[in-house]
Amino acid sequence: MTRVVVLGAGIIGAACARELALAGCAVTVADRGGPAAGTTAHGEGNVLVSDKGPGPELELARLSRELWPAILDGDPNAGGVEWDAKGGIVVATTSAGAEALTEFATAQREAGVAAEDLDAAALFAAEPHLTRDFAKAVHYPEDAQVQPAGAAVALLAAAVRAGAVLRTGCEVLGAVRRGGRITGVRTSGGTIEADAVVNAAGPWSGEVAARLGVRLGVRPRRGEVLVTAPMPPTVFHKVYDADYVGAVGSGAGELQASAVVESTRAGTILLGSSRRRVGFDDRIRPEVLSVIAAKALRLFPSLAGAPVMRAYGGFRPYVDDHLPVIGADPHLEGLWHATGHEGAGIGLSAGTAAVLRDLMLGRAPAIDAAPFRADRPAAQCEGENR
């Protein structure tokens, strides 16, 4: 039986552990904290196709969107995980934004994505509290949301039921090598022997890779979210400004912000989003929250009097070419990577795990995995890993 150590108990590590355990591997999941305690706990739970243009990431997103309901429906113990196939609405508030959104949605339709133009009547029937000052709106019925920490715990629980072992408070210190390949990891809790190791440490993947003696171009990119107090039903889809796609695709280190507004089943409303490259500086910046709030009010002016209950931020694993890293390390045999999803890790986790499983077991994945390979230039550049 192949022994696999998965480094990271967030949503990506949990999904990989589940797939590998179900495939018959002897899996150990090691995390220096606890399950879903890092990036996963600081996400919104997006499962989106609306923000991805034609290409490999969209293919991965569509695979994941297909797998997520099957995973949750097929697990009788996952009944408590919040899954909401609410759909998404992208709104352009300027003529330039409308032109860009039209072009983007047309390309997505050609790639097979359901993207429906909304006139004013349809838009306000779907979102009655939305601003009347809009230039174009597109509905994406495939967009969904899952409660991220609950989903990660459910995936880990499924892995454990399939025989996996979870070790928390277990920090990676280095690699055990023999004959040019990795045969285990040294951790703060002792050495764990393995036939294969999966680096699923999210924003810390670059640092973990360095401790294992290889290079990986994954750096942290910070994002913040505002959370209102519970409110009467106000937002019924995931609604975001067309500028969001540009903010996601930007490689700039300075603040990138756009309006992203959605509700939760608890009645709170999540207001995002921001992207900044600040290393692992975890300070909440009021000026960033102010920008987020102002952009959200542009879409939903009625939220001006909404009480804000809290704000939180987290680090996302950023790669310069905006594609995840999924596959074998080019320099250390037996080491695999599943990381670099930035803010899309929740949605892409199911597909990532399926692709990684197939690659590790010598099968042909459901999609072309070559664009995600770990030996591409962006994945091998030296990044700011601390």
Side-chain angles (χ1 to χ4, degrees), residues 139-236:
H139 176 224
Y140 290 87
E142 296 171 285
D143 280 0
Q145 183 182 30
V146 67
Q147 205 290 325
V153 170
L155 294 172
L156 278 173
V160 170
R161 288 194 299 273
V165 175
L166 173 63
R167 295 183 59 174
T168 58
C170 194
E171 184 173 359
V172 175
L173 302 177
V176 179
R177 300 183 182 220
R178 187 176 300 116
R181 66 173 293 123
I182 190 168
T183 60
V185 289
R186 292 184 293 105
T187 78
S188 57
T191 297
I192 308 174
E193 296 183 349
D195 303 304
V197 174
V198 177
N199 178 8
W204 298 272
S205 296
E207 183 173 315
V208 167
R211 293 186 181 191
L212 298 177
V214 299
R215 191 169 67 185
L216 187 67
V218 176
R219 292 171 286 172
R221 202 180 190 197
R222 185 162 178 81
E224 286 89 7
V225 174
L226 286 167
V227 185
T228 73
M231 299 179 62
T234 304
V235 184
F236 302 93

Side-chain angles (χ1 to χ4, degrees), residues 216-286:
L216 187 67
V218 176
R219 292 171 286 172
R221 202 180 190 197
R222 185 162 178 81
E224 286 89 7
V225 174
L226 286 167
V227 185
T228 73
M231 299 179 62
T234 304
V235 184
F236 302 93
H237 300 76
K238 180 184 181 69
V239 183
Y240 62 87
D241 191 285
D243 291 343
Y244 176 74
V245 174
V248 171
S250 172
E254 65 271 13
L255 174 64
Q256 302 289 311
S258 58
V260 181
V261 183
E262 64 186 313
S263 63
T264 70
R265 289 187 180 176
T268 59
I269 297 176
L270 308 181
L271 310 177
S273 70
S274 66
R275 282 171 164 76
R276 299 180 292 138
R277 289 222 306 268
V278 292
F280 284 108
D281 182 350
D282 62 358
R283 289 173 292 179
I284 296 286
R285 298 290 189 181

Side-chain angles (χ1 to χ4, degrees), residues 337-358:
H337 301 288
T339 184
H341 301 78
E342 202 180 339
I346 306 299
L348 298 179
S349 57
T352 294
V355 169
L356 183 76
R357 174 206 62 205
D358 290 340

Side-chain angles (χ1 to χ4, degrees), residues 263-328:
S263 63
T264 70
R265 289 187 180 176
T268 59
I269 297 176
L270 308 181
L271 310 177
S273 70
S274 66
R275 282 171 164 76
R276 299 180 292 138
R277 289 222 306 268
V278 292
F280 284 108
D281 182 350
D282 62 358
R283 289 173 292 179
I284 296 286
R285 298 290 189 181
E287 63 271 20
V288 174
L289 302 182
S290 178
V291 170
I292 291 172
K295 288 182 174 289
L297 289 175
R298 177 77 184 272
L299 287 184
F300 287 90
S302 63
L303 292 177
V308 173
M309 183 170 63
R310 66 187 180 99
Y312 63 89
F315 300 107
R316 299 152 175 166
Y318 170 81
V319 180
D320 282 341
D321 63 3
H322 304 285
L323 287 178
V325 182
I326 309 170

